[in-house]
Amino acid sequence: MGWITVGWGAAVGLFVMRVLLRQVRELLLDVGAVIRAWRELLSVVRDAGPPTRGGGP
């Protein structure tokens, strides 16, 4: 009878681990998206450069 408890415990443990791993993966993907957005924003700001005075030659 104890083997049934052990078997169900192992099955529930595997299910919980799978859910946790999926959550960690989604969290890492979200963090990656935030980092990419910041890099893109910084590159746009950097490429814009300082404002220049008009007038020309």
Side-chain angles (χ1 to χ4, degrees):
M1 195 70 167
W3 61 272
I4 294 174
T5 305
V6 170
W8 275 109
V12 170
L14 287 174
F15 177 75
V16 169
M17 288 300 294
R18 184 175 177 190
V19 169
L20 288 176
L21 287 174
R22 181 178 294 165
Q23 294 296 321
V24 168
R25 179 178 176 266
E26 291 177 9
L27 177 65
L28 290 174
L29 289 174
D30 289 344
V31 169
V34 169
I35 290 172
R36 279 191 301 275
W38 272 107
R39 283 184 179 173
E40 184 177 334
L41 177 66
L42 289 176
S43 84
V44 167
V45 169
R46 200 176 307 131
D47 290 343
T52 58
R53 287 188 177 256

